Amino acid sequence: MTEPKLLSGGNPQIPKDEGDGPVRDYISAMPDWKHQVGKRLDKLIVRTVPGVHKAVKWNQPFYGHKDEGWFLSFRCYTNYVQVQFLKGASLNPMPPKSSKHPEVRYLDIREDDELDEEQLRSWIEQASKLPGEKV
């Protein structure tokens, strides 16, 4: 198997598909320290939302409920991994970074960040209970 191409910012190019396999392929292809962040995020999401549905769309993993839409995705940028909460404006407290889309909020994770896993778990849990986005 050939290694996935890394797009700008080191984001892996993975074919669009549903299920755990494509998400594992994406995480495996995440470069350098971002690979560990991807593994940690996936593990935390799966632990927080048992039975979560996974897919890769637009070269990023999405998490949601089958046939009900998506609540979270993440992707690689040059200096950080960005977690996207699709209904992040409804979370309490809101994730720190705004978007041009009013409901979307982001959390950027940089290499040396101390990740507040308790807060992240709370956001994941809250997001998973909101109506999902069809993307």
Side-chain angles (χ1 to χ4, degrees):
M1 182 176 132
T2 61
E3 289 296 311
K5 177 181 174 187
L6 295 182
L7 303 171
S8 75
N11 197 48
Q13 184 176 32
I14 301 292
K16 181 178 176 179
D17 201 0
E18 305 257 332
D20 188 53
V23 172
R24 273 197 322 264
D25 291 346
Y26 177 94
I27 292 168
S28 293
M30 291 172 77
D32 307 319
W33 61 270
K34 295 170 191 166
H35 173 75
Q36 290 303 320
V37 170
K39 283 175 51 174
R40 190 170 175 189
L41 286 170
D42 185 71
K43 186 175 180 179
L44 184 60
I45 295 163
V46 168
R47 208 170 53 232
T48 304
V49 186
V52 69
H53 184 64
K54 301 179 188 183
V56 170
K57 298 170 175 277
W58 304 285
N59 299 308
Q60 58 189 339
F62 276 79
Y63 296 81
H65 301 290
K66 185 123 178 100
D67 302 321
E68 294 178 25
W70 308 100
F71 60 85
L72 180 151
S73 69
F74 62 86
R75 67 179 297 124
C76 295
Y77 286 89
T78 302
N79 296 313
Y80 55 91
V81 174
Q82 184 172 76
V83 181
Q84 174 180 240
F85 294 95
L86 298 167
K87 299 266 178 142
S90 298
L91 304 181
N92 184 23
M94 279 193 292
K97 189 175 178 182
S98 62
S99 168
K100 64 182 178 182
H101 306 287
E103 290 193 351
V104 174
R105 299 291 294 190
Y106 302 111
L107 173 66
D108 294 345
I109 303 170
R110 297 181 190 305
E111 183 173 10
D112 296 324
D113 284 353
E114 265 307 309
L115 194 57
D116 183 346
E117 202 163 290
E118 187 174 318
Q119 179 61 72
L120 187 53
R121 186 200 47 74
S122 173
W123 282 331
I124 293 165
E125 186 173 25
Q126 290 177 61
S128 74
K129 293 178 182 175
L130 296 170
E133 283 290 313
K134 305 283 186 188
V135 293

